[in-house]
Tab-separated table of all heavy atoms in Angstrom:
chain	number	residue	atom	x	y	z
A	3	ARG	N	-78.948	-48.988	-61.656
A	3	ARG	CA	-78.355	-47.705	-61.961
A	3	ARG	C	-78.011	-46.961	-60.651
A	3	ARG	O	-78.815	-46.863	-59.753
A	3	ARG	CB	-79.373	-46.901	-62.773
A	3	ARG	CG	-78.853	-45.662	-63.392
A	3	ARG	CD	-79.788	-45.244	-64.536
A	3	ARG	NE	-81.121	-44.948	-63.999
A	3	ARG	CZ	-81.439	-43.768	-63.523
A	3	ARG	NH1	-80.572	-42.774	-63.500
A	3	ARG	NH2	-82.660	-43.548	-63.097
A	4	ALA	N	-76.776	-46.438	-60.604
A	4	ALA	CA	-76.328	-45.771	-59.411
A	4	ALA	C	-76.943	-44.371	-59.306
A	4	ALA	O	-77.177	-43.748	-60.344
A	4	ALA	CB	-74.833	-45.680	-59.363
A	6	ASP	N	-76.287	-40.738	-58.389
A	6	ASP	CA	-75.157	-39.861	-58.162
A	6	ASP	C	-75.609	-38.440	-57.817
A	6	ASP	O	-74.922	-37.463	-58.204
A	6	ASP	CB	-74.231	-39.789	-59.386
A	6	ASP	CG	-73.417	-41.029	-59.506
A	6	ASP	OD1	-73.393	-41.788	-58.545
A	6	ASP	OD2	-72.866	-41.260	-60.609
A	9	LEU	N	-73.145	-36.226	-55.788
A	9	LEU	CA	-71.930	-35.899	-56.518
A	9	LEU	C	-72.173	-34.905	-57.634
A	9	LEU	O	-71.457	-33.931	-57.845
A	9	LEU	CB	-71.377	-37.180	-57.147
A	9	LEU	CG	-70.184	-37.036	-58.062
A	9	LEU	CD1	-69.041	-36.460	-57.337
A	9	LEU	CD2	-69.781	-38.378	-58.678
A	10	ARG	N	-73.336	-35.076	-58.346
A	10	ARG	CA	-73.679	-34.168	-59.436
A	10	ARG	C	-73.971	-32.768	-58.963
A	10	ARG	O	-73.515	-31.759	-59.549
A	10	ARG	CB	-74.800	-34.715	-60.260
A	10	ARG	CG	-74.373	-35.892	-61.017
A	10	ARG	CD	-75.401	-36.505	-61.913
A	10	ARG	NE	-74.848	-37.626	-62.596
A	10	ARG	CZ	-75.471	-38.312	-63.526
A	10	ARG	NH1	-76.676	-37.989	-63.850
A	10	ARG	NH2	-74.887	-39.320	-64.126
A	16	ILE	N	-68.706	-26.920	-57.447
A	16	ILE	CA	-67.275	-26.905	-57.306
A	16	ILE	C	-66.567	-26.628	-58.683
A	16	ILE	O	-65.492	-26.012	-58.684
A	16	ILE	CB	-66.812	-28.194	-56.642
A	16	ILE	CG1	-67.244	-28.136	-55.190
A	16	ILE	CG2	-65.319	-28.406	-56.746
A	16	ILE	CD1	-66.797	-29.292	-54.408
A	20	LEU	N	-63.549	-24.088	-59.357
A	20	LEU	CA	-62.352	-24.556	-59.957
A	20	LEU	C	-61.978	-23.718	-61.170
A	20	LEU	O	-60.784	-23.340	-61.353
A	20	LEU	CB	-62.427	-25.999	-60.372
A	20	LEU	CG	-62.274	-27.045	-59.266
A	20	LEU	CD1	-62.385	-28.413	-59.861
A	20	LEU	CD2	-60.900	-26.862	-58.659
A	23	PHE	N	-60.800	-20.374	-59.970
A	23	PHE	CA	-59.422	-20.476	-59.373
A	23	PHE	C	-58.351	-20.635	-60.487
A	23	PHE	O	-57.255	-20.047	-60.380
A	23	PHE	CB	-59.390	-21.611	-58.429
A	23	PHE	CG	-58.114	-21.775	-57.716
A	23	PHE	CD1	-57.575	-20.745	-56.960
A	23	PHE	CD2	-57.419	-22.993	-57.724
A	23	PHE	CE1	-56.393	-20.919	-56.289
A	23	PHE	CE2	-56.200	-23.158	-57.085
A	23	PHE	CZ	-55.691	-22.107	-56.353
A	26	TYR	N	-57.778	-17.356	-62.083
A	26	TYR	CA	-56.977	-16.550	-61.176
A	26	TYR	C	-55.507	-16.932	-61.229
A	26	TYR	O	-54.661	-16.057	-61.310
A	26	TYR	CB	-57.487	-16.707	-59.739
A	26	TYR	CG	-56.489	-16.295	-58.710
A	26	TYR	CD1	-56.166	-14.959	-58.521
A	26	TYR	CD2	-55.805	-17.223	-57.919
A	26	TYR	CE1	-55.221	-14.562	-57.598
A	26	TYR	CE2	-54.876	-16.887	-57.026
A	26	TYR	CZ	-54.583	-15.509	-56.873
A	26	TYR	OH	-53.598	-15.180	-55.978
A	27	LEU	N	-55.230	-18.237	-61.183
A	27	LEU	CA	-53.812	-18.704	-61.230
A	27	LEU	C	-53.167	-18.259	-62.574
A	27	LEU	O	-52.015	-17.842	-62.614
A	27	LEU	CB	-53.772	-20.188	-61.126
A	27	LEU	CG	-53.860	-20.788	-59.709
A	27	LEU	CD1	-53.847	-22.292	-59.783
A	27	LEU	CD2	-52.690	-20.303	-58.874
A	35	PRO	N	-47.235	-16.774	-57.343
A	35	PRO	CA	-47.171	-18.177	-57.816
A	35	PRO	C	-48.398	-18.443	-58.742
A	35	PRO	O	-49.455	-17.946	-58.492
A	35	PRO	CB	-47.325	-18.965	-56.525
A	35	PRO	CG	-46.828	-18.082	-55.455
A	35	PRO	CD	-47.121	-16.677	-55.900
A	40	ILE	N	-49.929	-24.335	-64.354
A	40	ILE	CA	-50.794	-24.771	-63.265
A	40	ILE	C	-52.221	-24.307	-63.476
A	40	ILE	O	-53.189	-25.047	-63.137
A	40	ILE	CB	-50.261	-24.275	-61.907
A	40	ILE	CG1	-50.917	-24.944	-60.764
A	40	ILE	CG2	-50.310	-22.784	-61.788
A	40	ILE	CD1	-50.615	-26.370	-60.617
A	44	MET	N	-55.371	-26.900	-63.579
A	44	MET	CA	-56.589	-26.749	-62.798
A	44	MET	C	-57.814	-26.820	-63.655
A	44	MET	O	-58.878	-27.388	-63.269
A	44	MET	CB	-56.511	-25.379	-62.069
A	44	MET	CG	-55.849	-25.445	-60.734
A	44	MET	SD	-56.667	-26.510	-59.569
A	44	MET	CE	-55.689	-27.938	-59.602
A	47	ALA	N	-58.438	-30.280	-64.384
A	47	ALA	CA	-59.002	-30.947	-63.243
A	47	ALA	C	-60.482	-30.733	-63.143
A	47	ALA	O	-61.260	-31.638	-62.834
A	47	ALA	CB	-58.287	-30.475	-61.988
A	54	MET	N	-66.165	-37.119	-64.550
A	54	MET	CA	-66.452	-38.206	-63.565
A	54	MET	C	-67.873	-38.139	-63.125
A	54	MET	O	-68.480	-39.203	-62.809
A	54	MET	CB	-65.508	-38.060	-62.379
A	54	MET	CG	-64.096	-38.475	-62.672
A	54	MET	SD	-63.154	-38.736	-61.204
A	54	MET	CE	-63.032	-37.075	-60.542
A	57	GLY	N	-70.303	-38.485	-66.960
A	57	GLY	CA	-70.104	-39.496	-67.983
A	57	GLY	C	-69.594	-38.929	-69.301
A	57	GLY	O	-69.667	-37.751	-69.568
A	58	TYR	N	-69.128	-39.837	-70.142
A	58	TYR	CA	-68.413	-39.476	-71.383
A	58	TYR	C	-69.335	-38.833	-72.398
A	58	TYR	O	-69.055	-37.800	-72.976
A	58	TYR	CB	-67.728	-40.700	-71.959
A	58	TYR	CG	-66.772	-40.420	-73.055
A	58	TYR	CD1	-65.507	-39.997	-72.806
A	58	TYR	CD2	-67.192	-40.589	-74.378
A	58	TYR	CE1	-64.629	-39.734	-73.841
A	58	TYR	CE2	-66.299	-40.324	-75.423
A	58	TYR	CZ	-65.069	-39.906	-75.158
A	58	TYR	OH	-64.186	-39.644	-76.136
A	59	GLU	N	-70.453	-39.498	-72.651
A	59	GLU	CA	-71.358	-39.094	-73.729
A	59	GLU	C	-72.004	-37.726	-73.462
A	59	GLU	O	-72.119	-36.867	-74.337
A	59	GLU	CB	-72.470	-40.157	-73.982
A	59	GLU	CG	-71.916	-41.474	-74.443
A	59	GLU	CD	-71.255	-41.364	-75.809
A	59	GLU	OE1	-71.704	-40.563	-76.611
A	59	GLU	OE2	-70.295	-42.125	-76.047
A	60	ALA	N	-72.432	-37.508	-72.207
A	60	ALA	CA	-73.066	-36.227	-71.881
A	60	ALA	C	-72.038	-35.102	-71.982
A	60	ALA	O	-72.400	-34.019	-72.454
A	60	ALA	CB	-73.605	-36.264	-70.449
A	138	ALA	N	-59.184	-43.451	-70.459
A	138	ALA	CA	-60.507	-43.789	-69.912
A	138	ALA	C	-61.368	-44.531	-70.984
A	138	ALA	O	-62.142	-45.373	-70.605
A	138	ALA	CB	-61.242	-42.534	-69.492
A	139	SER	N	-61.214	-44.163	-72.257
A	139	SER	CA	-62.037	-44.800	-73.271
A	139	SER	C	-61.405	-46.056	-73.829
A	139	SER	O	-61.764	-46.523	-74.904
A	139	SER	CB	-62.334	-43.807	-74.426
A	139	SER	OG	-61.091	-43.436	-74.983
B	69	GLN	N	-47.223	-16.565	-49.854
B	69	GLN	CA	-47.127	-17.189	-51.176
B	69	GLN	C	-47.602	-18.643	-51.145
B	69	GLN	O	-47.775	-19.269	-52.200
B	69	GLN	CB	-45.682	-17.212	-51.628
B	69	GLN	CG	-45.016	-15.817	-51.589
B	69	GLN	CD	-45.314	-15.027	-52.801
B	69	GLN	OE1	-45.152	-15.485	-53.913
B	69	GLN	NE2	-45.760	-13.814	-52.632
B	72	ASP	N	-51.968	-20.366	-52.101
B	72	ASP	CA	-52.460	-21.075	-53.255
B	72	ASP	C	-52.228	-22.591	-53.109
B	72	ASP	O	-53.031	-23.394	-53.585
B	72	ASP	CB	-51.769	-20.538	-54.548
B	72	ASP	CG	-52.272	-19.170	-54.926
B	72	ASP	OD1	-53.292	-18.809	-54.416
B	72	ASP	OD2	-51.565	-18.549	-55.701
B	75	LEU	N	-55.079	-24.278	-51.121
B	75	LEU	CA	-56.289	-24.462	-51.930
B	75	LEU	C	-56.125	-25.538	-52.966
B	75	LEU	O	-56.992	-26.353	-53.175
B	75	LEU	CB	-56.654	-23.099	-52.555
B	75	LEU	CG	-58.021	-22.947	-53.130
B	75	LEU	CD1	-59.050	-23.339	-52.061
B	75	LEU	CD2	-58.243	-21.501	-53.512
B	76	LEU	N	-54.923	-25.530	-53.575
B	76	LEU	CA	-54.611	-26.506	-54.644
B	76	LEU	C	-54.621	-27.920	-54.040
B	76	LEU	O	-55.175	-28.866	-54.668
B	76	LEU	CB	-53.219	-26.208	-55.176
B	76	LEU	CG	-52.944	-26.563	-56.613
B	76	LEU	CD1	-53.853	-25.814	-57.538
B	76	LEU	CD2	-51.491	-26.180	-56.929
B	79	ILE	N	-58.210	-29.091	-53.542
B	79	ILE	CA	-58.872	-29.405	-54.760
B	79	ILE	C	-58.424	-30.743	-55.322
B	79	ILE	O	-59.217	-31.643	-55.668
B	79	ILE	CB	-58.649	-28.282	-55.792
B	79	ILE	CG1	-59.474	-27.041	-55.409
B	79	ILE	CG2	-59.114	-28.722	-57.189
B	79	ILE	CD1	-59.076	-25.833	-56.169
B	80	LEU	N	-57.088	-30.999	-55.367
B	80	LEU	CA	-56.573	-32.223	-55.871
B	80	LEU	C	-57.029	-33.427	-55.015
B	80	LEU	O	-57.332	-34.510	-55.485
B	80	LEU	CB	-55.041	-32.170	-55.949
B	80	LEU	CG	-54.540	-31.169	-56.992
B	80	LEU	CD1	-53.036	-31.186	-57.013
B	80	LEU	CD2	-55.071	-31.494	-58.380
B	82	PHE	N	-59.806	-33.592	-53.257
B	82	PHE	CA	-61.201	-33.813	-53.535
B	82	PHE	C	-61.365	-34.666	-54.761
B	82	PHE	O	-62.054	-35.676	-54.797
B	82	PHE	CB	-61.922	-32.512	-53.648
B	82	PHE	CG	-63.373	-32.599	-53.992
B	82	PHE	CD1	-64.317	-33.077	-53.079
B	82	PHE	CD2	-63.805	-32.222	-55.253
B	82	PHE	CE1	-65.607	-33.183	-53.399
B	82	PHE	CE2	-65.115	-32.354	-55.590
B	82	PHE	CZ	-66.063	-32.828	-54.691
B	83	ILE	N	-60.688	-34.261	-55.860
B	83	ILE	CA	-60.844	-34.977	-57.111
B	83	ILE	C	-60.284	-36.380	-57.007
B	83	ILE	O	-60.807	-37.374	-57.430
B	83	ILE	CB	-60.153	-34.180	-58.225
B	83	ILE	CG1	-60.926	-32.914	-58.460
B	83	ILE	CG2	-60.063	-34.976	-59.505
B	83	ILE	CD1	-60.255	-31.942	-59.420
B	86	ILE	N	-62.668	-38.593	-55.031
B	86	ILE	CA	-63.878	-38.980	-55.811
B	86	ILE	C	-63.461	-40.039	-56.824
B	86	ILE	O	-64.245	-41.007	-57.064
B	86	ILE	CB	-64.422	-37.713	-56.536
B	86	ILE	CG1	-65.172	-36.928	-55.513
B	86	ILE	CG2	-65.336	-38.113	-57.656
B	86	ILE	CD1	-65.886	-35.727	-56.146
B	87	ALA	N	-62.274	-39.896	-57.465
B	87	ALA	CA	-61.827	-40.923	-58.444
B	87	ALA	C	-61.715	-42.316	-57.737
B	87	ALA	O	-62.157	-43.335	-58.284
B	87	ALA	CB	-60.485	-40.519	-59.044
B	90	LYS	N	-65.196	-43.639	-56.914
B	90	LYS	CA	-65.902	-44.162	-58.132
B	90	LYS	C	-65.290	-45.496	-58.558
B	90	LYS	O	-66.019	-46.399	-59.037
B	90	LYS	CB	-65.882	-43.148	-59.229
B	90	LYS	CG	-67.047	-42.248	-59.234
B	90	LYS	CD	-67.300	-41.622	-60.577
B	90	LYS	CE	-68.331	-42.420	-61.332
B	90	LYS	NZ	-68.758	-41.750	-62.562
B	93	GLU	N	-66.497	-48.220	-56.282
B	93	GLU	CA	-67.939	-48.561	-56.398
B	93	GLU	C	-68.296	-49.181	-57.718
B	93	GLU	O	-69.008	-50.150	-57.759
B	93	GLU	CB	-68.746	-47.276	-56.147
B	93	GLU	CG	-70.219	-47.561	-56.002
B	93	GLU	CD	-71.048	-46.281	-56.116
B	93	GLU	OE1	-70.483	-45.227	-55.977
B	93	GLU	OE2	-72.274	-46.405	-56.218
B	94	LYS	N	-67.779	-48.621	-58.831
B	94	LYS	CA	-68.256	-49.010	-60.118
B	94	LYS	C	-67.233	-49.769	-60.960
B	94	LYS	O	-67.533	-50.457	-61.864
B	94	LYS	CB	-68.711	-47.796	-60.937
B	94	LYS	CG	-69.950	-47.154	-60.417
B	94	LYS	CD	-70.402	-46.076	-61.353
B	94	LYS	CE	-71.693	-45.414	-60.868
B	94	LYS	NZ	-72.022	-44.250	-61.650
B	96	VAL	N	-65.166	-48.306	-62.988
B	96	VAL	CA	-64.679	-47.367	-63.994
B	96	VAL	C	-64.739	-45.944	-63.371
B	96	VAL	O	-65.544	-45.715	-62.460
B	96	VAL	CB	-65.550	-47.368	-65.238
B	96	VAL	CG1	-65.312	-48.674	-65.971
B	96	VAL	CG2	-67.010	-47.198	-64.944
B	97	ILE	N	-63.849	-45.108	-63.831
B	97	ILE	CA	-63.837	-43.746	-63.280
B	97	ILE	C	-64.663	-42.776	-64.126
B	97	ILE	O	-65.417	-41.955	-63.622
B	97	ILE	CB	-62.355	-43.296	-63.153
B	97	ILE	CG1	-61.682	-44.080	-62.057
B	97	ILE	CG2	-62.265	-41.822	-62.774
B	97	ILE	CD1	-60.233	-43.765	-61.883
B	98	ILE	N	-64.534	-42.933	-65.474
B	98	ILE	CA	-65.366	-42.108	-66.366
B	98	ILE	C	-66.346	-43.035	-67.068
B	98	ILE	O	-65.939	-43.939	-67.815
B	98	ILE	CB	-64.494	-41.357	-67.373
B	98	ILE	CG1	-63.639	-40.348	-66.641
B	98	ILE	CG2	-65.320	-40.668	-68.414
B	98	ILE	CD1	-62.693	-39.616	-67.555
B	99	ASP	N	-67.641	-42.837	-66.830
B	99	ASP	CA	-68.644	-43.682	-67.433
B	99	ASP	C	-68.682	-43.506	-68.957
B	99	ASP	O	-68.546	-42.419	-69.411
B	99	ASP	CB	-70.024	-43.338	-66.884
B	99	ASP	CG	-70.089	-43.475	-65.389
B	99	ASP	OD1	-69.738	-44.542	-64.896
B	99	ASP	OD2	-70.442	-42.481	-64.714
B	100	ARG	N	-68.838	-44.634	-69.612
B	100	ARG	CA	-68.862	-44.575	-71.102
B	100	ARG	C	-70.231	-44.127	-71.564
B	100	ARG	O	-70.343	-43.181	-72.373
B	100	ARG	CB	-68.492	-45.964	-71.617
B	100	ARG	CG	-68.389	-46.005	-73.139
B	100	ARG	CD	-67.162	-45.269	-73.556
B	100	ARG	NE	-67.220	-44.981	-74.955
B	100	ARG	CZ	-66.383	-44.189	-75.628
B	100	ARG	NH1	-65.417	-43.565	-74.946
B	100	ARG	NH2	-66.480	-43.991	-76.899
B	101	GLU	N	-71.317	-44.821	-71.087
B	101	GLU	CA	-72.632	-44.551	-71.639
B	101	GLU	C	-73.401	-43.620	-70.713
B	101	GLU	O	-73.166	-43.595	-69.524
B	101	GLU	CB	-73.411	-45.879	-71.883
B	101	GLU	CG	-73.855	-46.523	-70.645
B	101	GLU	CD	-72.702	-47.280	-69.941
B	101	GLU	OE1	-71.667	-47.414	-70.571
B	101	GLU	OE2	-72.896	-47.695	-68.783
B	102	LEU	N	-74.330	-42.924	-71.337
B	102	LEU	CA	-75.212	-42.016	-70.546
B	102	LEU	C	-76.351	-42.803	-69.965
B	102	LEU	O	-76.961	-43.601	-70.628
B	102	LEU	CB	-75.722	-40.926	-71.502
B	102	LEU	CG	-76.588	-39.864	-70.903
B	102	LEU	CD1	-75.813	-39.069	-69.886
B	102	LEU	CD2	-77.174	-39.005	-71.945
B	103	ASP	N	-76.587	-42.616	-68.674
B	103	ASP	CA	-77.665	-43.389	-68.045
B	103	ASP	C	-78.957	-42.553	-67.983
B	103	ASP	O	-78.917	-41.357	-68.318
B	103	ASP	CB	-77.269	-43.869	-66.632
B	103	ASP	CG	-76.788	-42.761	-65.786
B	103	ASP	OD1	-76.854	-41.595	-66.219
B	103	ASP	OD2	-76.360	-43.017	-64.627
Side-chain angles (χ1 to χ4, degrees):
Chain A
R3 194 159 61 86
D6 285 346
L9 174 62
R10 289 184 178 184
I16 288 185
L20 280 181
F23 183 56
Y26 160 72
L27 278 178
I40 192 67
M44 272 297 102
M54 285 196 293
Y58 190 82
E59 296 295 329
S139 61
Chain B
Q69 309 275 311
D72 288 344
L75 196 50
L76 208 62
I79 288 167
L80 293 181
F82 177 71
I83 292 172
I86 282 185
K90 267 203 96 169
E93 189 192 347
K94 289 185 180 174
V96 290
I97 292 178
I98 295 178
D99 302 306
R100 186 70 196 169
E101 72 283 347
L102 182 64
D103 54 4

